[in-house]
């Protein structure tokens, strides 16, 4: 189903270089996360935003959520960072579409204009809401065991 | 009743037929059909995209016909009302890469608001691509791209500051304790 148009193999390889480099970096990061669990205290250092500012940034719990997604613990991932649990699979899907288009040699992938603004609003709202004391149990990063 | 060659060709620059001009309807008579044969002879539509679209890029419009903007080739709703599909409305300027600068700005804003260099570096990279697209005429929001690049650099700088602070906060107490231990009266 994945067609590469009428380009010669060398050109397809060149087109695929960037997407597969991105995938390789992501896979390497995923491997590190699975092997070295972020649930071990101080395995990845300290959280700067909590330490310096006292608030949870939108990425807090992201390492834990990714580790849980990779090891199949969806509930744990949701408790660690709900936004990232929803976004990570979407990003994988977007990578797939991008790579397919790029290998086929078609026009570059563009997003409608409302997408970036929606991303901004959602992330800022998530950051604010997850620091509201009443919502911390639902949106904030789960406390370390 | 659309024929295969009714499809508007992809808007690739330099390819004749993308936004080519078409001969005026009045000039198109059966005898003046373009040399590249229309598979459905007998289709005598004076208007519409089937006249000189893609299949005959080399032939082009008849030299004696007056150039005719695309907009007038749709006197009634043809098979492709303006604005369908990924193409901009007929007659609008072609700006397919306006999204790059918007993404650069959004990533820069997120970087300044807390994501520091994680979105700051992509903001600078994408902002650079956006500026190149604007210079090439594929976008018209160069100012937005510049804003995204500036915010991206600010976010990266903030990130560096944060990392330095973390280093100091963790390392300095350890170093300070280590330096003072020999001078304490209490046995270690």
């Amino acid at each position: 189903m994945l067609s590469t148009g009428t380009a010669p193999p060398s050109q397809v390889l060149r087109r695929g270089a960037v997407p597969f480099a991105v995938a390789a970096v992501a896979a390497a990061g995923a491997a590190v996360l699975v092997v070295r669990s972020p649930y071990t205290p101080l395995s990845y250092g300290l959280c700067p935003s909590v330490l310096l500012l006292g608030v949870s940034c939108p990425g807090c719990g992201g390492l834990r959520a990714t580790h849980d997604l990779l090891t199949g613990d969806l509930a744990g991932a949701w408790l660690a960072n709900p936004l990232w649990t929803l976004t990570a699979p979407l990003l994988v899907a977007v990578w797939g579409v991008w790579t397919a288009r790029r290998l086929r040699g078609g026009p570059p992938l563009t997003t409608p204009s409302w997408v970036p603004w929606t991303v901004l609003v959602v992330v800022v709202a998530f950051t604010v809401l997850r620091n509201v004391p009443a919502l911390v149990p639902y949106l904030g990063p789960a406390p370390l065991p | 009743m659309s024929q295969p060659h009714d499809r508007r060709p992809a808007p690739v620059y330099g390819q004749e037929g993308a936004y080519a001009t078409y001969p005026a309807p009045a000039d198109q008579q059966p005898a003046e059909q373009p040399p590249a044969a229309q598979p459905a002879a007998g289709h005598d539509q004076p208007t519409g995209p089937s006249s000189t679209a893609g299949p005959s890029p080399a032939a082009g419009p008849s030299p004696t016909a007056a150039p005719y903007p695309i907009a007038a080739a749709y006197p009634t709703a043809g098979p492709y009302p303006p604005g369908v599909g990924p193409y901009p409305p007929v007659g609008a300027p072609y700006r397919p890469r306006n999204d790059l600068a918007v993404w650069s700005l959004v990533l820069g804003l997120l970087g300044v608001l807390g994501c520091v260099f994680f979105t700051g570096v992509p903001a600078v990279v994408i902002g650079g691509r956006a500026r190149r697209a604007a210079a090439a005429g594929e976008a018209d929001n160069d100012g937005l791209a510049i804003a995204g690049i500036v915010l991206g650099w600010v976010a990266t700088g903030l990130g560096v500051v944060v990392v330095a602070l973390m280093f100091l906060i963790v390392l300095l107490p350890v170093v300070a304790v280590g330096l003072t231990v020999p001078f304490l009266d209490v046995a270690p």
Side-chain angles (χ1 to χ4, degrees), chain A:
Chain A
M1 187 180 110
L2 174 72
S3 79
T4 52
T6 53
S10 63
Q11 201 178 9
V12 172
L13 268 175
R14 204 164 12 105
R15 282 188 209 144
V18 172
F20 283 108
V22 167
V25 167
V32 170
L33 268 177
V34 168
V35 166
R36 188 181 169 90
S37 168
Y39 281 101
T40 323
L42 293 183
S43 54
Y44 290 92
L46 300 155
C47 180
S49 69
V50 171
L51 198 63
L52 297 173
L53 298 172
V55 297
S56 312
C57 79
C60 270
L63 287 177
R64 279 170 280 167
T66 317
H67 170 90
D68 283 342
L69 282 174
L70 290 169
T71 52
D73 184 5
L74 284 176
W78 181 266
L79 284 174
N81 192 324
L83 185 65
W84 181 245
T85 311
L86 292 173
T87 311
L90 272 178
L91 286 179
V92 173
V94 167
W95 177 89
V97 172
W98 174 46
T99 307
R101 278 228 194 169
R102 220 176 136 99
L103 286 178
R104 213 178 300 137
L109 186 69
T110 58
T111 49
S113 55
W114 56 264
V115 172
W117 297 118
T118 311
V119 166
L120 181 69
V121 166
V122 165
V123 172
V124 170
F126 180 65
T127 313
V128 168
L129 287 174
R130 76 180 327 202
N131 288 292
V132 169
L135 290 174
V136 165
Y138 303 105
L139 294 177
L144 285 170

Side-chain angles (χ1 to χ4, degrees), chain B residues 33-164:
Chain B
Q33 291 282 335
Q38 307 289 322
H43 254 284
D44 193 10
Q45 303 172 16
T47 60
S50 60
S51 47
T52 51
S56 58
S62 157
T64 59
Y68 201 72
I70 291 182
Y74 292 87
T76 56
Y80 291 94
V84 78
Y87 304 109
V90 168
Y94 186 55
R95 303 279 183 240
R97 296 308 270 163
N98 267 358
D99 58 328
L100 286 172
V102 178
W103 272 113
S104 171
L105 182 69
V106 166
L107 289 172
L109 274 173
L110 284 176
V112 166
L113 289 175
C115 299
V116 288
F117 46 71
F118 292 109
T119 56
V121 171
V124 173
V125 171
I126 295 182
R129 286 185 58 199
R131 293 208 69 197
R132 281 194 295 275
E138 293 171 343
D140 60 2
N141 45 16
D142 186 51
L144 228 65
I146 295 177
I149 294 178
V150 167
L151 285 175
W153 278 116
V154 170
T156 310
L158 272 177
V160 169
V161 167
V162 163
V163 167

